[in-house]
């Protein structure tokens, strides 16, 4: 059994410089003449340098998709009213006739972000009618990789500002989601930035040298005179194979040209062409200089594969981890102006694909340009797998084009390596100080590395959240290289396993803590030196209130009843949240808190639901809560859910779980009882165990959320079928119609003839 040894280490006092505004990316749409981002079924148009969304009455598809059998094919009543061409030259048909169409589109391309960072977005925007739309910052396509903001847009040009916090990756993009909004929305620019504190100076280690001096390869200093990023020295072994793992990383520039260096036939008899050490030639613009050249041949392979008929690779002397920050620079030009290429991450073997993104799209011109940027190695590129940047030279232009590269350089941050701990107190406001993270010290008796955070006898230094990293010297690097404990790791005899992870924060009771890390067995132990006593489990009983929600029949949604202008049929306005139940906690919950929800429930008919995270009832935050969503049947059933408060709720006052009870159109009576919402471990009941103050309901689209058993102040509950509402007119088929509709209509339960 291991005996803990306490190393007393004081939390350092570091007064950082005042945070300064940093502009991460600016999309000035006046510099484009067509949509510059990835198309997701909708293509905003360019009008005098303004990116214009003409609303949900249109969708955009290529002619091939319209004529095909997929989701993009023609629908009944549709026709094209013109074409739109994106900045990469792809033509789309502008289609109308079966809307409103749910639509979304990027308003910013990929940009480098900081883990756990907060970002402010500023956009010059206006709309034909005031509207509020969803705008997401995302680093993936699932809900747990998305931050949402509600953005209100007025009818005059105005710089609108909104914020995101809790970013979970180091590469993000921003997507506008107007949904079925039919307003025309115009965008002039979008700026993304953040307040960044000054960090200690960063030291960069150059990996490729221009003078033949030793470079570091896999942490070993080696004298490699031929490792020349400036192309001034011929390759010592020009015949090295691209898939030779013993030597291929000694070649810093690889090339592929269509029909050159043919490979052996594959199992299907197809013969491809392989990468080879890039040609080194005299620079046409400077006879005293040499450059790497890819003599691109016409790209005639069918389909998307033509993009990589000709390729170029900048090969690193080592592999990189996701999130590592690199300073990459090179000079580049082509024999033709305006040639757009895209870049990917590849493994050690050039042409061995790993990830779709690397340093973004690069546009070549006939004049030399310089790329010199600090990037974060992309999430998804694989830890220690990818080595090189691949240029797909025929992403757009398929002509025979020569591409020239020179002065290739990789540099990485020179960081302290080992084990380091930083801590915070989310209650008192004590913030993380990654610059002065405490280094663990090896204890031979314990055979582990030990450090203490907080100062015994000084309550102002107590911490309740801890991060352990394997590097120090840069905030982003620290957060990218953390370890994540699991299992039982708190207490003298408790040792839990740990794994490598990004942004791993360990929550503990406030106090002074000694942490021990056994790197041989990948185990960690936490021992509280002084501080608040850990909470003891309490008895938590279910609230016996039987909550009854009289869900009214709702109108059709816009999907169930699309608009038909020719027939005078208006789009349906029904929503899944026309009937709702809200479970409201007694306090705000933090992102990452582990809770448990349980109740017994039934309904007058089988009914599906969806659940969301709200602040106050009706104040939407995030689209997902319980998983799986409750599915009501006509028999009582019990169910328990583990609910970890999503990262998307960070700093947004999350208190409520919203149950959308109008997923089905029909009227339905829902009953819920024996309700429990508690913290994991039974330390706290998040709701009262008697009474109704934690239960809110909304019954019908005209209702507002109110405590169960009461009426909302000044508003009467809707008690009649929505079809009999005096404010709505229907045809004999039960479809909502516009005021211009001619024929027999039903209004307030009576029939009328409108001529």
């Amino acid at each position: 059994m291991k005996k803990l040894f306490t190393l007393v280490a004081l939390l350092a006092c570091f007064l950082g410089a005042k945070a300064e505004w940093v502009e991460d990316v600016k999309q000035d749409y006046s510099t484009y003449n067509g949509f510059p981002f990835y198309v997701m079924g909708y293509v905003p148009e360019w009008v005098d340098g303004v990116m214009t969304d003409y609303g949900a009455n249109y969708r955009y598809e290529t002619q091939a998709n319209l004529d095909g059998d997929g989701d993009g094919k023609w629908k009944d009543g549709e026709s094209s009213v013109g074409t739109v061409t994106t900045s990469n030259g792809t033509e789309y048909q502008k289609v109308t006739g079966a809307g409103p169409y749910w639509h979304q589109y990027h308003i910013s391309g990929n940009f480098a972000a900081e883990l756990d960072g907060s970002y402010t977005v500023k956009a010059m925007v206006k709309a034909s009618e005031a509207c509020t739309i969803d705008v997401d910052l995302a680093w993936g396509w699932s809900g747990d990789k998305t931050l949402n903001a509600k953005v209100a847009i007025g009818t005059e040009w105005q710089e609108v500002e909104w914020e995101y916090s809790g970013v979970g990756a180091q590469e993000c993009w921003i997507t506008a989601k107007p949904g079925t909004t039919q307003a025309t929305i115009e965008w002039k620019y979008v700026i993304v930035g953040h307040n960044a504190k000054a960090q200690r100076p960063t030291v960069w280690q150059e990996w490729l040298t221009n003078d033949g001096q030793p470079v570091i390869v896999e942490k070993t200093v080696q004298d490699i005179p031929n490792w020349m990023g400036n192309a001034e020295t011929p390759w010592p072994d020009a015949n090295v194979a691209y898939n030779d793992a013993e030597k291929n990383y000694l070649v810093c520039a690889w090339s592929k040209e269509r029909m050159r260096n043919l490979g052996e036939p594959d199992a299907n008899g197809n013969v491809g062409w392989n990468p080879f050490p890039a040609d080194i030639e005299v620079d046409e613009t400077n006879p005293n200089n040499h450059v790497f050249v890819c003599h691109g041949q016409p790209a005639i392979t069918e389909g998307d594969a033509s993009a990589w008929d000709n390729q170029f690779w900048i090969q690193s002397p080592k592999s990189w981890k996701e999130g590592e920050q690199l300073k990459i620079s090179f000079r580049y030009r082509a024999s033709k102006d305006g040639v757009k290429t895209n870049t990917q991450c590849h493994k050690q073997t050039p042409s061995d694909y790993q990830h779709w993104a690397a340093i973004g799209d690069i546009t070549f011109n006939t004049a030399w340009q310089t790329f010199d940027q600090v990037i974060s190695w992309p999430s998804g590129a694989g830890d220690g797998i990818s080595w090189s940047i691949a240029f797909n030279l025929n992403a757009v232009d398929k002509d025979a084009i020569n591409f020239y590269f020179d002065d290739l350089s990789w540099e990485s941050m020179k960081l302290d390596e080992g084990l380091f701990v930083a801590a915070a107190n989310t209650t008192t406001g004590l913030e993380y100080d990654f610059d002065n993270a405490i280094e663990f010290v090896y204890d031979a008796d314990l055979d582990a590395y030990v450090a203490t955070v907080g100062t015994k006898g000084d309550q102002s230094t107590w911490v309740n959240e801890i991060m352990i990293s394997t590097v120090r010297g840069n905030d982003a690097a620290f957060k990218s290289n953390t370890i994540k404990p699991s299992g039982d790791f708190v207490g003298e005899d408790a040792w839990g396993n740990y794994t490598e992870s990004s942004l791993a924060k360990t929550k503990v009771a406030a106090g002074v803590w000694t942490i021990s890390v056994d790197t041989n067995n990948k185990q960690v132990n936490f021992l509280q030196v002084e501080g608040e006593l850990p909470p003891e489990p309490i008895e938590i009983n279910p609230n016996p209130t039987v909550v009854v929600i009289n869900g009214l029949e709702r109108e059709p949604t816009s999907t169930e009843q699309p608009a038909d202008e020719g027939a005078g049929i208006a789009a349906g306005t029904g929503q899944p949240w026309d009937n709702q139940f809200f479970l409201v906690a007694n306090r705000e919950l933090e992102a990452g808190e582990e809770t448990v929800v349980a109740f017994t429930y039934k309904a007058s008919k089988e009914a599906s639901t969806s659940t969301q995270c709200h602040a106050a009832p009706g104040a939407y935050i995030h689209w997902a809560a319980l998983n799986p969503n409750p599915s009501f049947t006509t028999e009582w059933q019990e169910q328990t859910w583990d609910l970890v408060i999503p990262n998307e709720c960070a700093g947004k006052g999350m208190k409520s779980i919203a149950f959308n009870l109008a997923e089905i159109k029909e009227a339905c009576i829902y009953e819920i009882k024996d309700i429990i919402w508690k913290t994991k471990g039974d330390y706290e009941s998040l709701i009262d165990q008697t009474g109704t103050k934690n239960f809110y309901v909304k019954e019908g689209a005209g209702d507002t959320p109110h405590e169960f058993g009461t009426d909302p102040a000044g508003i009467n509950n809707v008690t009649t079928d929505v079809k009999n509402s005096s404010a709505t007119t229907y045809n004999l088929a039960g479809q909502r119609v516009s005021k211009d509709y001619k024929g027999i209509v039903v209004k307030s339960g009576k029939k009328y003839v409108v001529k």
Side-chain angles (χ1 to χ4, degrees), residues 662-682:
E663 291 286 353
I664 65 169
K665 183 177 183 294
E666 299 82 2
C668 182
I669 299 174
Y670 301 86
E671 297 181 70
I672 305 174
K673 67 178 182 178
D674 299 334
I675 302 171
I676 292 174
W677 192 8
K678 62 184 180 181
T679 57
K680 196 162 189 178
D682 291 355

Side-chain angles (χ1 to χ4, degrees), residues 291-520:
V291 296
F292 302 110
V293 184
C294 175
H295 296 282
Q297 304 302 307
I300 58 176
T301 298
E302 292 184 3
D304 294 340
S306 64
W308 46 87
D309 272 3
N310 299 281
Q311 290 179 288
F312 187 86
W313 291 266
I314 298 178
Q315 178 80 327
S316 164
K318 71 178 292 292
S319 59
W320 303 103
K321 291 177 61 179
E322 295 180 6
E324 284 192 89
Q325 288 194 299
L326 307 174
K327 183 184 291 184
I328 296 176
S329 63
F330 55 90
R331 295 195 310 132
Y332 61 103
R333 76 176 190 91
S335 58
K336 182 178 179 179
D337 280 326
V339 183
K340 181 179 177 180
T341 68
N342 56 44
T343 62
Q344 301 171 334
C345 294
H346 282 209
K347 299 178 185 178
Q348 179 180 351
T349 300
S351 79
D352 191 356
Y353 170 85
Q354 174 60 27
H355 186 61
W356 63 273
I359 58 174
D361 295 339
I362 305 294
T363 299
F364 288 71
N365 293 312
T366 54
W368 283 104
Q369 302 176 76
T370 299
F371 182 95
D372 189 3
Q373 292 184 16
V374 175
I375 73 160
S376 294
W377 203 243
S379 299
D383 283 347
I385 295 177
S386 51
W387 291 57
S388 59
I389 296 172
F391 292 76
N392 297 326
L393 302 177
N394 299 114
V396 177
D397 199 320
K398 311 301 181 182
D399 290 346
I401 302 167
N402 293 333
F403 294 87
Y404 306 90
F405 296 82
D406 197 11
D407 297 334
L408 314 179
S409 178
W410 298 76
E411 296 177 77
S412 64
M413 283 186 183
K414 191 174 180 62
L415 300 169
D416 299 332
E417 297 187 359
L419 284 171
F420 308 90
V421 60
N425 192 315
T426 57
T427 302
T428 64
L430 181 67
E431 297 183 348
Y432 284 104
D433 181 5
F434 300 111
D435 285 323
N436 296 297
I438 297 169
E439 185 171 9
F440 284 73
V441 175
Y442 181 70
D443 176 65
D445 293 335
L446 187 63
D447 192 19
Y449 293 86
V450 184
T452 296
V453 288
T455 304
K456 191 173 182 179
D458 185 355
Q459 188 170 341
S460 67
T461 68
W462 285 7
V463 303
N464 67 0
E465 197 173 84
I466 295 170
M467 295 180 71
I468 304 170
S469 180
T470 58
V471 298
R472 180 181 63 184
N474 175 268
D475 287 5
F478 186 103
K479 290 184 281 190
S480 296
N481 292 275
T482 54
I483 66 173
K484 183 177 182 179
S486 62
D488 185 9
F489 52 86
V490 176
E492 185 168 358
D493 296 329
W495 285 80
N497 297 326
Y498 71 80
T499 55
E500 287 78 16
S501 178
S502 295
L503 200 62
K505 298 178 180 179
T506 302
K507 294 184 180 294
V508 293
V512 179
W513 287 85
T514 294
I515 307 110
S516 303
V517 180
D518 176 357
T519 55
N520 292 323

Side-chain angles (χ1 to χ4, degrees), residues 99-418:
Y101 305 97
W102 192 93
H103 65 299
Q104 63 179 350
Y105 49 88
H106 292 316
I107 59 174
S108 174
N110 293 2
F111 63 93
E114 182 176 323
L115 277 172
D116 208 28
S118 297
Y119 290 85
T120 298
V121 183
K122 303 175 182 179
M124 183 62 71
V125 61
K126 73 171 183 177
S128 59
E129 58 184 75
C131 58
T132 298
I133 68 171
D134 290 308
V135 182
D136 289 351
L137 182 148
W139 52 94
W141 302 107
S142 57
D144 60 346
K145 297 181 179 180
T146 300
L147 300 176
N148 175 263
K150 300 285 187 182
V151 178
I153 302 173
T155 57
E156 301 294 333
W157 284 115
Q158 181 181 6
E159 187 175 79
V160 180
E161 187 172 309
W162 65 94
E163 296 182 348
Y164 302 100
S165 61
V167 174
Q170 294 177 299
E171 184 177 61
C172 300
W173 58 86
I174 300 178
T175 305
K177 296 183 173 181
T180 56
T181 301
Q182 298 184 33
T184 295
I185 303 175
E186 299 176 79
W187 306 81
K188 282 190 176 180
Y189 63 76
V190 168
I191 298 171
V192 184
H194 70 286
N195 289 317
K197 76 174 184 67
Q199 299 189 43
R200 67 183 188 179
T202 299
V203 178
W204 292 92
Q205 168 67 53
E206 187 172 14
W207 293 90
L208 308 185
T209 65
N210 294 332
D211 56 5
Q213 294 303 305
V215 297
I216 297 177
V217 179
E218 298 293 2
K219 299 183 181 180
T220 302
V221 177
Q222 299 184 12
D223 186 3
I224 309 175
N226 62 290
W227 190 278
M228 304 292 286
N230 63 5
E232 293 306 316
T233 301
W235 301 118
D237 187 354
N239 295 318
V240 62
Y242 73 102
N243 54 2
D244 181 353
E246 296 297 321
K247 293 183 178 180
N248 63 4
Y249 69 89
L250 302 179
V251 175
C252 65
W254 291 87
S255 184
K256 187 179 82 170
E257 300 170 10
R258 182 180 173 85
M259 300 308 296
R260 178 176 170 183
N261 195 28
L262 295 177
E264 295 296 323
D266 61 19
N268 297 318
N270 299 316
V271 177
W273 42 102
N274 296 324
F276 53 85
D279 292 332
I280 298 176
E281 299 179 0
V282 174
D283 181 0
E284 296 175 354
T285 66
N286 179 7
N288 296 318
N289 186 50
H290 288 82
V291 296
F292 302 110
V293 184
C294 175
H295 296 282
Q297 304 302 307
I300 58 176
T301 298
E302 292 184 3
D304 294 340
S306 64
W308 46 87
D309 272 3
N310 299 281
Q311 290 179 288
F312 187 86
W313 291 266
I314 298 178
Q315 178 80 327
S316 164
K318 71 178 292 292
S319 59
W320 303 103
K321 291 177 61 179
E322 295 180 6
E324 284 192 89
Q325 288 194 299
L326 307 174
K327 183 184 291 184
I328 296 176
S329 63
F330 55 90
R331 295 195 310 132
Y332 61 103
R333 76 176 190 91
S335 58
K336 182 178 179 179
D337 280 326
V339 183
K340 181 179 177 180
T341 68
N342 56 44
T343 62
Q344 301 171 334
C345 294
H346 282 209
K347 299 178 185 178
Q348 179 180 351
T349 300
S351 79
D352 191 356
Y353 170 85
Q354 174 60 27
H355 186 61
W356 63 273
I359 58 174
D361 295 339
I362 305 294
T363 299
F364 288 71
N365 293 312
T366 54
W368 283 104
Q369 302 176 76
T370 299
F371 182 95
D372 189 3
Q373 292 184 16
V374 175
I375 73 160
S376 294
W377 203 243
S379 299
D383 283 347
I385 295 177
S386 51
W387 291 57
S388 59
I389 296 172
F391 292 76
N392 297 326
L393 302 177
N394 299 114
V396 177
D397 199 320
K398 311 301 181 182
D399 290 346
I401 302 167
N402 293 333
F403 294 87
Y404 306 90
F405 296 82
D406 197 11
D407 297 334
L408 314 179
S409 178
W410 298 76
E411 296 177 77
S412 64
M413 283 186 183
K414 191 174 180 62
L415 300 169
D416 299 332
E417 297 187 359

Side-chain angles (χ1 to χ4, degrees), residues 557-639:
T557 64
S558 59
T559 301
E560 293 167 343
Q561 181 181 302
D564 187 340
E565 296 179 5
I569 305 299
T573 59
Q575 298 289 354
W577 48 86
D578 285 352
N579 300 301
Q580 287 179 297
F581 166 64
F582 297 91
L583 182 57
V584 185
N586 290 327
R587 64 171 176 84
E588 295 183 358
L589 298 166
E590 297 182 10
E593 278 200 71
E594 298 182 1
T595 72
V596 176
V597 178
F599 51 79
T600 304
Y601 59 109
K602 74 171 184 175
S604 59
K605 61 180 62 180
E606 292 188 356
S608 59
T609 64
S610 57
T611 58
Q612 302 169 334
C613 294
H614 284 218
Y620 170 87
I621 298 175
H622 183 54
W623 64 271
L626 301 185
N627 183 25
N629 286 309
S631 182
F632 284 77
T633 67
T634 57
E635 301 293 332
W636 286 110
Q637 56 181 320
E638 298 178 10
Q639 194 163 350

